[in-house]
């Protein structure tokens, strides 16, 4: 099965897509147009960049290969969390302590930016405050407590420690040994938020074109993006398609790996049962490398995310396997049915840090015309908040202040080993090692 056909298959039984009506659609591009900035990708990063650029007076056109919010931006677990997918010690090793602290502060800003946009544009997306990070096992609990102390001492980030005896007040599961509670993070319906940003961008004058995949990028003083039935000529380009660029910028592909990830939504539960599972209504994630994550919904379901796949093959019996994972965490749900099960592909970088930059820094030195082509990728499954900030940083850079964008661009990234043919088996072997560590 090809990457695209696998992704279409995974999108069919999405709780979000089924329950969230699209109030606005956008025509395909069927002409040649000119603009200041062309954006490729109608997810959270691309739409955020479009909003920020329109606010600054730029004429913006956005090309989306399918529908806005169709990829990971509209199918994810809905958890809005500060920080990156990698630990801060990894960031410190990559860029130094001072820049790591600066980047951490920007991830807190990313969470606040979600609130600012919800308020400004009136986006109703089921926001709920609170995030629980929970440890499976005593060793994981000690590691989590050390992390809490380090973040408080070195970053001023305060969280609430929850000992095992107190956990039932927060989560009705026998699986966990301890946890942290962060009131600043939380969760929302990501598709509703993404569609709200698209409506906001359109109202600001951004020209959005759906079902218009960019097929070719022609560099030069004026950059040209071609589609099957039109083209966009721009002074600047933002590539925000992540794993969905499909050959538009081949130099980016080895730096990220498409990884399948899966989510299930339970049937509607009795409100008392739903409330008893998570009295705080917080989003939850464990601290394993191959982690489980879940959250309650406003209509009394449990959304449960877990297993991953490093091929384009959808795991067999997805609904049944996700129900077993959910019941392992909450035995009281052993007879609760899974009504929706879906998935998609996220873009993982080697070090799990985000990969932002300019295409000119990656192509051969003789190639010219890529200086004004920016890219955002490698959110590694931790991008719901950070994508929004990333779009803002690109807008700042295009306007002439690249200081904050370059704080991320200085993070070094290496391609996945093995080339196109062998990098997937190499990643499977690596993940098997980390799964074994989690079990032990």
């Amino acid at each position: 099965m090809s990457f695209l056909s696998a992704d279409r298959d995974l999108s069919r039984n999405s709780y979000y897509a089924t329950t969230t009506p699209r109030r606005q659609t956008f025509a395909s591009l069927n002409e040649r147009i000119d603009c200041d900035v062309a954006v490729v990708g109608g997810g959270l990063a691309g739409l955020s960049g479009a909003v920020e650029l329109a606010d600054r007076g730029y004429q913006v056109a956005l090309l989306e290969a399918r529908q806005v919010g169709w990829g990971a931006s509209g199918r994810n677990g809905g958890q809005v969390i500060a920080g990156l997918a990698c630990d801060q010690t990894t960031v410190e090793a990559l860029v130094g302590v001072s820049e790591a602290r600066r980047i951490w502060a920007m991830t807190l800003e990313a969470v606040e930016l979600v609130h600012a946009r919800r308020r400004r544009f009136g986006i109703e997306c089921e926001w709920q405050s609170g995030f629980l990070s929970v440890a499976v096992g005593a060793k994981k609990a000690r590691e989590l407590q050390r992390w809490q102390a380090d973040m408080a001492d070195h970053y001023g980030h305060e969280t609430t420690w929850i000992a095992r005896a107190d956990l039932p007040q927060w989560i009705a599961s026998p699986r966990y040994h301890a946890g942290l509670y962060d009131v600043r993070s939380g969760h929302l319906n990501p598709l509703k938020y993404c569609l709200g940003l698209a409506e906001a961008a359109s109202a600001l004058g951004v020209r959005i074109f759906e079902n218009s995949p960019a097929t070719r990028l022609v560099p030069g003083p004026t950059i040209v993006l071609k589609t099957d039935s039109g083209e966009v000529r721009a002074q600047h380009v933002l590539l925000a398609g992540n794993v969905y660029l499909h050959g538009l910028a081949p130099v980016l592909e080895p730096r990220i790996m498409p990884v399948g990830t899966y989510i299930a939504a339970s049937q509607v539960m009795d409100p008392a049962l739903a409330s008893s599972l998570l009295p705080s209504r917080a989003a939850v994630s464990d601290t394993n490398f191959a982690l489980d994550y879940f959250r309650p919904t406003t209509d009394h379901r449990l959304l449960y995310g877990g297993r991953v796949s490093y091929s384009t093959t959808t795991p067999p019996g997805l609904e049944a396997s996700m129900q077993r994972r959910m019941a392992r965490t909450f035995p009281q749900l052993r007879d609760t049915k899974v009504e929706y099960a879906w998935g998609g592909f996220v873009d993982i970088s080697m070090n799990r840090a985000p990969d932002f930059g300019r295409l000119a820094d990656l192509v051969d030195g003789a190639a010219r015309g890529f200086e004004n082509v920016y890219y955002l990728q490698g959110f590694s499954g931790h991008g719901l908040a950070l994508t929004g900030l990333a779009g803002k940083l690109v807008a700042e850079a295009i306007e002439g202040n690249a200081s904050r964008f370059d704080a991320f661009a200085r993070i070094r990234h290496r391609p996945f080993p093995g080339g196109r043919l062998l990098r997937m088996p190499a990643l499977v072997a690596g993940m098997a090692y980390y799964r074994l560590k989690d079990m032990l």
Side-chain angles (χ1 to χ4, degrees):
M1 180 181 289
S2 71
F3 174 81
L4 279 175
S5 60
D7 203 48
R8 283 194 294 269
D9 180 63
L10 286 170
S11 69
R12 287 176 182 159
N13 193 28
S14 164
Y15 164 75
Y16 299 127
T18 303
T19 60
T20 302
R22 291 179 179 267
R23 299 182 299 185
Q24 190 173 9
T25 58
F26 303 94
S28 301
L29 178 66
N30 293 303
E31 58 181 320
R32 189 179 83 173
I33 64 171
D34 293 274
C35 63
D36 299 320
V37 187
V39 178
V40 178
L44 292 169
L47 289 168
S48 172
V51 165
E52 293 287 338
L53 288 159
D55 270 344
R56 289 163 170 77
Y58 291 94
Q59 293 182 322
V60 184
L62 184 149
L63 300 176
E64 164 55 40
R66 299 293 296 262
Q67 295 173 295
V68 293
W70 183 81
S73 292
R75 289 189 237 163
N76 63 71
Q79 301 200 2
V80 181
I81 307 169
L84 308 180
C86 61
D87 193 77
Q88 279 302 114
T89 55
T90 300
V91 184
E92 290 173 4
L94 291 167
V95 297
V97 173
S98 177
E99 282 294 85
R101 288 176 176 167
R102 187 182 185 200
I103 286 172
W104 172 260
M106 283 192 272
T107 74
L108 296 176
E109 178 187 343
V111 175
E112 292 304 315
L113 192 57
V114 172
H115 299 314
R117 288 174 177 159
R118 286 193 306 115
R119 291 190 295 265
R120 176 186 174 188
F121 300 121
I123 302 175
E124 297 295 333
C125 54
E126 304 168 12
W127 171 260
Q128 173 65 51
S129 295
F131 170 69
L132 280 172
S133 181
V134 290
V136 179
K139 181 180 178 182
K140 294 280 188 181
R142 291 192 294 271
E143 292 171 353
L144 183 61
Q145 195 162 30
R146 282 195 295 269
W147 181 90
Q148 181 196 33
D150 287 344
M151 292 302 296
D153 291 344
H154 302 132
Y155 288 86
H157 182 64
E158 300 289 343
T159 51
T160 300
W161 178 253
I162 306 170
R164 188 171 192 178
D166 298 321
L167 269 180
Q169 302 172 40
W170 299 83
I171 179 170
S173 172
R175 190 178 176 200
Y176 305 112
H177 282 241
L180 292 180
Y181 180 72
D182 181 0
V183 71
R184 284 169 288 194
S185 298
H187 59 97
L188 49 71
N189 181 315
L191 183 56
K192 286 186 176 180
Y193 181 62
C194 194
L195 295 180
L197 281 184
E199 293 179 11
S202 179
L204 289 170
V206 176
R207 300 181 66 182
I208 299 175
F209 299 95
E210 293 182 319
N211 299 302
S212 301
T215 57
R216 187 181 173 201
L217 188 156
V218 183
T222 297
I223 306 159
V224 180
L225 284 168
K226 294 183 178 292
T227 71
D228 288 339
S229 55
E231 68 177 42
V232 181
R233 296 163 56 87
Q235 303 306 306
H236 303 269
V237 166
L238 167 58
L239 300 177
N242 298 307
V243 297
Y244 298 103
L245 289 177
H246 301 301
L248 188 65
V251 70
L252 295 178
E253 292 180 11
R255 299 166 69 90
I256 56 172
M257 176 77 75
V259 173
T261 182
Y262 309 98
I263 307 176
S266 75
Q267 67 186 112
V268 175
M269 294 180 280
D270 179 271
L273 173 60
S275 297
S276 71
L277 301 177
L278 293 162
S280 67
R281 297 195 58 79
V284 184
S285 176
D286 67 40
T287 61
N288 288 344
F289 190 87
L291 54 83
D292 281 8
Y293 53 94
F294 44 93
R295 67 181 186 87
T297 68
T298 56
D299 59 350
H300 310 299
R301 303 175 190 268
L302 183 70
L303 260 62
Y304 199 100
R307 59 180 306 175
V308 295
S309 170
Y310 300 95
S311 72
T312 58
T313 303
T314 302
L318 184 58
E319 291 88 350
S321 68
M322 294 303 294
Q323 201 284 332
R324 288 192 295 271
R325 296 181 81 95
M326 188 169 65
R328 181 179 62 172
T329 297
F330 295 105
Q332 57 270 54
L333 299 184
R334 61 184 177 275
D335 296 322
T336 300
K337 295 180 180 178
V338 163
E339 190 167 346
Y340 300 93
W342 70 100
F345 292 90
V346 296
D347 51 332
I348 304 293
S349 66
M350 270 283 286
N351 55 21
R352 302 185 85 181
D355 182 14
F356 304 167
R358 301 166 183 81
L359 217 55
D361 295 332
L362 305 182
V363 299
D364 183 80
R368 298 184 180 275
F370 288 105
E371 292 81 4
N372 291 332
V373 180
Y374 298 80
Y375 68 88
L376 302 170
Q377 63 177 20
F379 294 97
S380 301
H382 201 95
L384 184 46
L386 189 61
T387 45
L389 178 74
K392 182 177 182 179
L393 299 186
V394 171
E396 291 174 357
I398 289 174
E399 194 177 35
N401 182 6
S403 172
R404 302 207 307 161
F405 180 84
D406 287 339
F408 283 91
R410 280 191 286 270
I411 296 175
R412 291 183 302 151
H413 290 272
R414 289 185 289 178
F416 279 87
R420 183 181 292 273
L421 293 178
L422 297 179
R423 64 180 186 151
M424 191 73 74
L427 183 60
V428 171
M431 285 305 299
Y433 165 76
Y434 282 109
R435 282 201 191 96
L436 181 61
K437 284 189 67 177
D438 286 340
M439 287 189 291
L440 294 176

